[in-house]
Amino acid sequence: QARNLYAYMYAHPGKKLNFIGNEIASFREFDEKKEIDWFLLEYPKHRAFAKFFSDLNHIYLKYPALYQYDYTCGKGFQWINADNAKQSVFSFVREDDSQYIVCIMNCKPESYPQYDVKVPQNGVYKEILNTEDALYGGCNMCNKKPLHSIADGKQGVFSSHITIQLAPWATIYFEYNQHWIKVFQRVENVGNSVNIISDRKKQEYVYNDLLTQKIYIDEAKTEKGKKEYSSYIVKNNMYYQISGV
C-alpha cells in the first residue's frame, strides 16, 4: 500500500514531500541524533522498496507531463474516472504539450485480470511503472507488452480504451505513443560490411533500457516530408532491423 500511495502522490499535481528515511521504508520516526537505519537494506523487502523509490524518482524526472503544468489551471491534469466508488479504482491523465501519461490506481485488495480504462487518444500505451512489479516486492501482475487501444465508436477525447491487468493495491503509469512500428525478424550470422555509404541524414547511438545496450538509429525524410527511423540491433548473435514512420 505504501508503494501505491507514493505513486499516486508523484502522479498527482503538486510538489512532492518525502520525509527522510521513507525511501527505505524505515519503521521508526527520524531522529536527528541517530543515523538512518541503513541496515534495513540488508532485508529484501526494504531493498525492493528502495529500488521502487529510485525508479519512481527517475520516472518523475524523465516525463515532464508529470510536473510541467502543476499550477496551470485547466491544463496538465484531467480525470478519466473519479467516481468508481464500488471498485475504488481511479484514473486520470497527466499531460504536457507533447505527451500523455495515463495513471490508474487500485485502492482495494482485489485484482482484475481484464479492466477497461478510457484513454485520451487512440494509439499504443506502454506500461512504464507498476507498483506490483516483482522488482519492488509485488505480485508481478503487470502489463509487459505494449497495449493497443480499441476505439469505442465515438468521437472526441476518451473515445478509446485499453484493457489492462490490474493487481491489488496497484498504481500503474502508461506512456502514450501514437505511432505503430512493424518489426521484421530474421536469424543470420553476424558480420561486418565495408565501403557502404548510408543515405540517412542523421545517425546516432542511443542507450535502450529494455535491451540494456546501445543501439544504432538513423533518420531520413520520406517524399511526403515525414521522418523515417531505422534501427539495427545485434542481440544474442541475432540481427534485428526495425523501421517506422
mmCIF file of all heavy atoms in Angstrom, residues 166-190:
data_model
loop_
_atom_site.group_PDB
_atom_site.id
_atom_site.type_symbol
_atom_site.label_atom_id
_atom_site.label_comp_id
_atom_site.label_asym_id
_atom_site.label_seq_id
_atom_site.Cartn_x
_atom_site.Cartn_y
_atom_site.Cartn_z
ATOM 1 N N LEU A 166 -4.899 -5.520 -13.669
ATOM 2 C CA LEU A 166 -4.787 -4.612 -12.532
ATOM 3 C C LEU A 166 -4.691 -5.412 -11.239
ATOM 4 O O LEU A 166 -5.641 -6.091 -10.837
ATOM 5 C CB LEU A 166 -5.986 -3.664 -12.493
ATOM 6 C CG LEU A 166 -5.971 -2.559 -11.448
ATOM 7 C CD1 LEU A 166 -4.756 -1.653 -11.626
ATOM 8 C CD2 LEU A 166 -7.256 -1.733 -11.520
ATOM 9 N N ALA A 167 -3.541 -5.330 -10.590
ATOM 10 C CA ALA A 167 -3.293 -6.097 -9.369
ATOM 11 C C ALA A 167 -3.878 -5.389 -8.149
ATOM 12 O O ALA A 167 -4.180 -4.192 -8.187
ATOM 13 C CB ALA A 167 -1.786 -6.284 -9.181
ATOM 14 N N PRO A 168 -4.041 -6.129 -7.036
ATOM 15 C CA PRO A 168 -4.488 -5.484 -5.793
ATOM 16 C C PRO A 168 -3.510 -4.386 -5.365
ATOM 17 O O PRO A 168 -2.298 -4.552 -5.467
ATOM 18 C CB PRO A 168 -4.497 -6.637 -4.786
ATOM 19 C CG PRO A 168 -4.567 -7.881 -5.611
ATOM 20 C CD PRO A 168 -3.838 -7.580 -6.874
ATOM 21 N N TRP A 169 -4.030 -3.272 -4.914
ATOM 22 C CA TRP A 169 -3.239 -2.157 -4.394
ATOM 23 C C TRP A 169 -2.215 -1.622 -5.411
ATOM 24 O O TRP A 169 -1.186 -1.076 -5.029
ATOM 25 C CB TRP A 169 -2.504 -2.539 -3.114
ATOM 26 C CG TRP A 169 -3.354 -3.054 -2.002
ATOM 27 C CD1 TRP A 169 -3.358 -4.310 -1.467
ATOM 28 C CD2 TRP A 169 -4.343 -2.318 -1.275
ATOM 29 N NE1 TRP A 169 -4.271 -4.405 -0.463
ATOM 30 C CE2 TRP A 169 -4.902 -3.194 -0.312
ATOM 31 C CE3 TRP A 169 -4.820 -1.009 -1.336
ATOM 32 C CZ2 TRP A 169 -5.904 -2.809 0.574
ATOM 33 C CZ3 TRP A 169 -5.817 -0.621 -0.458
ATOM 34 C CH2 TRP A 169 -6.336 -1.515 0.490
ATOM 35 N N ALA A 170 -2.501 -1.762 -6.695
ATOM 36 C CA ALA A 170 -1.529 -1.346 -7.714
ATOM 37 C C ALA A 170 -1.817 0.056 -8.236
ATOM 38 O O ALA A 170 -2.976 0.431 -8.442
ATOM 39 C CB ALA A 170 -1.542 -2.325 -8.884
ATOM 40 N N THR A 171 -0.762 0.814 -8.447
ATOM 41 C CA THR A 171 -0.835 2.035 -9.241
ATOM 42 C C THR A 171 0.041 1.817 -10.472
ATOM 43 O O THR A 171 1.165 1.341 -10.362
ATOM 44 C CB THR A 171 -0.348 3.261 -8.464
ATOM 45 O OG1 THR A 171 -1.282 3.550 -7.416
ATOM 46 C CG2 THR A 171 -0.239 4.481 -9.375
ATOM 47 N N ILE A 172 -0.508 2.155 -11.636
ATOM 48 C CA ILE A 172 0.168 1.906 -12.901
ATOM 49 C C ILE A 172 0.235 3.202 -13.699
ATOM 50 O O ILE A 172 -0.730 3.964 -13.746
ATOM 51 C CB ILE A 172 -0.573 0.834 -13.730
ATOM 52 C CG1 ILE A 172 -0.800 -0.435 -12.910
ATOM 53 C CG2 ILE A 172 0.196 0.507 -15.002
ATOM 54 C CD1 ILE A 172 -1.632 -1.491 -13.634
ATOM 55 N N TYR A 173 1.399 3.433 -14.326
ATOM 56 C CA TYR A 173 1.552 4.533 -15.276
ATOM 57 C C TYR A 173 1.704 3.945 -16.676
ATOM 58 O O TYR A 173 2.484 3.010 -16.881
ATOM 59 C CB TYR A 173 2.821 5.359 -15.009
ATOM 60 C CG TYR A 173 2.917 6.080 -13.691
ATOM 61 C CD1 TYR A 173 4.114 6.704 -13.339
ATOM 62 C CD2 TYR A 173 1.858 6.156 -12.791
ATOM 63 C CE1 TYR A 173 4.254 7.374 -12.137
ATOM 64 C CE2 TYR A 173 1.985 6.813 -11.585
ATOM 65 C CZ TYR A 173 3.195 7.426 -11.256
ATOM 66 O OH TYR A 173 3.335 8.094 -10.071
ATOM 67 N N PHE A 174 0.983 4.522 -17.640
ATOM 68 C CA PHE A 174 1.141 4.164 -19.044
ATOM 69 C C PHE A 174 1.580 5.381 -19.841
ATOM 70 O O PHE A 174 1.011 6.470 -19.679
ATOM 71 C CB PHE A 174 -0.172 3.633 -19.641
ATOM 72 C CG PHE A 174 -0.521 2.231 -19.232
ATOM 73 C CD1 PHE A 174 -1.377 2.001 -18.169
ATOM 74 C CD2 PHE A 174 -0.005 1.144 -19.919
ATOM 75 C CE1 PHE A 174 -1.718 0.711 -17.796
ATOM 76 C CE2 PHE A 174 -0.327 -0.153 -19.549
ATOM 77 C CZ PHE A 174 -1.185 -0.373 -18.480
ATOM 78 N N GLU A 175 2.553 5.179 -20.706
ATOM 79 C CA GLU A 175 3.007 6.222 -21.624
ATOM 80 C C GLU A 175 2.310 6.036 -22.966
ATOM 81 O O GLU A 175 2.233 4.916 -23.491
ATOM 82 C CB GLU A 175 4.518 6.136 -21.807
ATOM 83 C CG GLU A 175 5.075 7.095 -22.847
ATOM 84 C CD GLU A 175 6.535 6.826 -23.155
ATOM 85 O OE1 GLU A 175 7.050 5.757 -22.734
ATOM 86 O OE2 GLU A 175 7.163 7.662 -23.824
ATOM 87 N N TYR A 176 1.805 7.134 -23.523
ATOM 88 C CA TYR A 176 1.110 7.083 -24.805
ATOM 89 C C TYR A 176 2.087 7.258 -25.957
ATOM 90 O O TYR A 176 2.978 8.107 -25.912
ATOM 91 C CB TYR A 176 0.056 8.186 -24.873
ATOM 92 C CG TYR A 176 -0.466 8.477 -26.267
ATOM 93 C CD1 TYR A 176 -1.309 7.583 -26.920
ATOM 94 C CD2 TYR A 176 -0.115 9.658 -26.926
ATOM 95 C CE1 TYR A 176 -1.799 7.856 -28.183
ATOM 96 C CE2 TYR A 176 -0.590 9.938 -28.190
ATOM 97 C CZ TYR A 176 -1.434 9.026 -28.820
ATOM 98 O OH TYR A 176 -1.900 9.297 -30.079
ATOM 99 N N ASN A 177 1.909 6.430 -27.006
ATOM 100 C CA ASN A 177 2.698 6.558 -28.219
ATOM 101 C C ASN A 177 1.757 6.403 -29.401
ATOM 102 O O ASN A 177 1.086 5.390 -29.543
ATOM 103 C CB ASN A 177 3.803 5.500 -28.276
ATOM 104 C CG ASN A 177 4.764 5.739 -29.414
ATOM 105 O OD1 ASN A 177 4.479 6.495 -30.331
ATOM 106 N ND2 ASN A 177 5.918 5.100 -29.365
ATOM 107 N N GLN A 178 1.726 7.411 -30.246
ATOM 108 C CA GLN A 178 0.781 7.426 -31.361
ATOM 109 C C GLN A 178 1.177 6.473 -32.481
ATOM 110 O O GLN A 178 0.341 5.965 -33.222
ATOM 111 C CB GLN A 178 0.680 8.847 -31.930
ATOM 112 C CG GLN A 178 -0.306 8.982 -33.089
ATOM 113 C CD GLN A 178 -0.326 10.394 -33.629
ATOM 114 O OE1 GLN A 178 0.451 11.242 -33.205
ATOM 115 N NE2 GLN A 178 -1.226 10.668 -34.556
ATOM 116 N N HIS A 179 2.475 6.218 -32.616
ATOM 117 C CA HIS A 179 2.969 5.536 -33.804
ATOM 118 C C HIS A 179 3.020 4.024 -33.628
ATOM 119 O O HIS A 179 3.307 3.503 -32.559
ATOM 120 C CB HIS A 179 4.355 6.051 -34.167
ATOM 121 C CG HIS A 179 4.381 7.529 -34.389
ATOM 122 N ND1 HIS A 179 3.828 8.122 -35.481
ATOM 123 C CD2 HIS A 179 4.871 8.537 -33.626
ATOM 124 C CE1 HIS A 179 3.978 9.433 -35.406
ATOM 125 N NE2 HIS A 179 4.602 9.708 -34.284
ATOM 126 N N TRP A 180 2.771 3.333 -34.717
ATOM 127 C CA TRP A 180 2.915 1.877 -34.785
ATOM 128 C C TRP A 180 4.211 1.568 -35.495
ATOM 129 O O TRP A 180 4.551 2.186 -36.491
ATOM 130 C CB TRP A 180 1.757 1.261 -35.575
ATOM 131 C CG TRP A 180 0.429 1.397 -34.938
ATOM 132 C CD1 TRP A 180 -0.244 2.550 -34.675
ATOM 133 C CD2 TRP A 180 -0.399 0.337 -34.470
ATOM 134 N NE1 TRP A 180 -1.436 2.289 -34.077
ATOM 135 C CE2 TRP A 180 -1.578 0.941 -33.945
ATOM 136 C CE3 TRP A 180 -0.267 -1.043 -34.451
ATOM 137 C CZ2 TRP A 180 -2.611 0.194 -33.405
ATOM 138 C CZ3 TRP A 180 -1.311 -1.788 -33.920
ATOM 139 C CH2 TRP A 180 -2.467 -1.173 -33.399
ATOM 140 N N ILE A 181 4.935 0.603 -35.006
ATOM 141 C CA ILE A 181 6.181 0.179 -35.645
ATOM 142 C C ILE A 181 6.068 -1.299 -35.988
ATOM 143 O O ILE A 181 5.754 -2.127 -35.129
ATOM 144 C CB ILE A 181 7.398 0.407 -34.721
ATOM 145 C CG1 ILE A 181 7.561 1.900 -34.431
ATOM 146 C CG2 ILE A 181 8.668 -0.152 -35.344
ATOM 147 C CD1 ILE A 181 8.677 2.211 -33.486
ATOM 148 N N LYS A 182 6.326 -1.626 -37.243
ATOM 149 C CA LYS A 182 6.327 -3.017 -37.671
ATOM 150 C C LYS A 182 7.725 -3.590 -37.500
ATOM 151 O O LYS A 182 8.708 -2.965 -37.881
ATOM 152 C CB LYS A 182 5.886 -3.131 -39.134
ATOM 153 C CG LYS A 182 4.434 -2.739 -39.358
ATOM 154 C CD LYS A 182 4.041 -2.940 -40.812
ATOM 155 C CE LYS A 182 2.573 -2.585 -41.026
ATOM 156 N NZ LYS A 182 2.174 -2.767 -42.443
ATOM 157 N N VAL A 183 7.797 -4.784 -36.930
ATOM 158 C CA VAL A 183 9.084 -5.418 -36.667
ATOM 159 C C VAL A 183 9.201 -6.681 -37.520
ATOM 160 O O VAL A 183 8.316 -7.530 -37.500
ATOM 161 C CB VAL A 183 9.236 -5.784 -35.176
ATOM 162 C CG1 VAL A 183 10.575 -6.448 -34.931
ATOM 163 C CG2 VAL A 183 9.091 -4.539 -34.314
ATOM 164 N N PHE A 184 10.296 -6.764 -38.269
ATOM 165 C CA PHE A 184 10.577 -7.954 -39.061
ATOM 166 C C PHE A 184 11.825 -8.603 -38.481
ATOM 167 O O PHE A 184 12.839 -7.944 -38.281
ATOM 168 C CB PHE A 184 10.817 -7.581 -40.534
ATOM 169 C CG PHE A 184 9.660 -6.861 -41.159
ATOM 170 C CD1 PHE A 184 9.576 -5.478 -41.114
ATOM 171 C CD2 PHE A 184 8.634 -7.568 -41.759
ATOM 172 C CE1 PHE A 184 8.511 -4.812 -41.685
ATOM 173 C CE2 PHE A 184 7.557 -6.900 -42.331
ATOM 174 C CZ PHE A 184 7.488 -5.523 -42.294
ATOM 175 N N GLN A 185 11.778 -9.900 -38.216
ATOM 176 C CA GLN A 185 12.889 -10.584 -37.567
ATOM 177 C C GLN A 185 13.408 -11.717 -38.446
ATOM 178 O O GLN A 185 12.648 -12.442 -39.069
ATOM 179 C CB GLN A 185 12.433 -11.158 -36.220
ATOM 180 C CG GLN A 185 13.516 -11.933 -35.501
ATOM 181 C CD GLN A 185 13.052 -12.431 -34.150
ATOM 182 O OE1 GLN A 185 12.245 -11.800 -33.502
ATOM 183 N NE2 GLN A 185 13.550 -13.564 -33.744
ATOM 184 N N ARG A 186 14.721 -11.831 -38.506
ATOM 185 C CA ARG A 186 15.331 -12.956 -39.184
ATOM 186 C C ARG A 186 16.622 -13.307 -38.467
ATOM 187 O O ARG A 186 17.209 -12.463 -37.783
ATOM 188 C CB ARG A 186 15.603 -12.644 -40.659
ATOM 189 C CG ARG A 186 16.633 -11.541 -40.874
ATOM 190 C CD ARG A 186 16.798 -11.251 -42.355
ATOM 191 N NE ARG A 186 17.771 -10.193 -42.569
ATOM 192 C CZ ARG A 186 18.054 -9.695 -43.765
ATOM 193 N NH1 ARG A 186 17.451 -10.171 -44.833
ATOM 194 N NH2 ARG A 186 18.941 -8.729 -43.892
ATOM 195 N N VAL A 187 17.051 -14.535 -38.616
ATOM 196 C CA VAL A 187 18.270 -15.001 -37.965
ATOM 197 C C VAL A 187 19.351 -15.168 -39.019
ATOM 198 O O VAL A 187 19.120 -15.762 -40.068
ATOM 199 C CB VAL A 187 18.028 -16.346 -37.250
ATOM 200 C CG1 VAL A 187 19.304 -16.820 -36.568
ATOM 201 C CG2 VAL A 187 16.904 -16.209 -36.224
ATOM 202 N N GLU A 188 20.530 -14.626 -38.761
ATOM 203 C CA GLU A 188 21.654 -14.789 -39.672
ATOM 204 C C GLU A 188 22.942 -14.579 -38.903
ATOM 205 O O GLU A 188 22.928 -14.060 -37.773
ATOM 206 C CB GLU A 188 21.571 -13.821 -40.845
ATOM 207 C CG GLU A 188 21.624 -12.348 -40.442
ATOM 208 C CD GLU A 188 21.548 -11.439 -41.649
ATOM 209 O OE1 GLU A 188 20.830 -11.749 -42.607
ATOM 210 O OE2 GLU A 188 22.224 -10.397 -41.619
ATOM 211 N N ASN A 189 24.030 -14.988 -39.472
ATOM 212 C CA ASN A 189 25.319 -14.797 -38.834
ATOM 213 C C ASN A 189 25.667 -13.315 -38.758
ATOM 214 O O ASN A 189 25.375 -12.547 -39.663
ATOM 215 C CB ASN A 189 26.414 -15.539 -39.600
ATOM 216 C CG ASN A 189 26.245 -17.049 -39.515
ATOM 217 O OD1 ASN A 189 25.761 -17.547 -38.502
ATOM 218 N ND2 ASN A 189 26.620 -17.756 -40.566
ATOM 219 N N VAL A 190 26.309 -12.929 -37.682
ATOM 220 C CA VAL A 190 26.715 -11.538 -37.514
ATOM 221 C C VAL A 190 28.011 -11.308 -38.274
ATOM 222 O O VAL A 190 28.973 -12.062 -38.139
ATOM 223 C CB VAL A 190 26.908 -11.209 -36.019
ATOM 224 C CG1 VAL A 190 27.425 -9.798 -35.858
ATOM 225 C CG2 VAL A 190 25.602 -11.404 -35.274
#
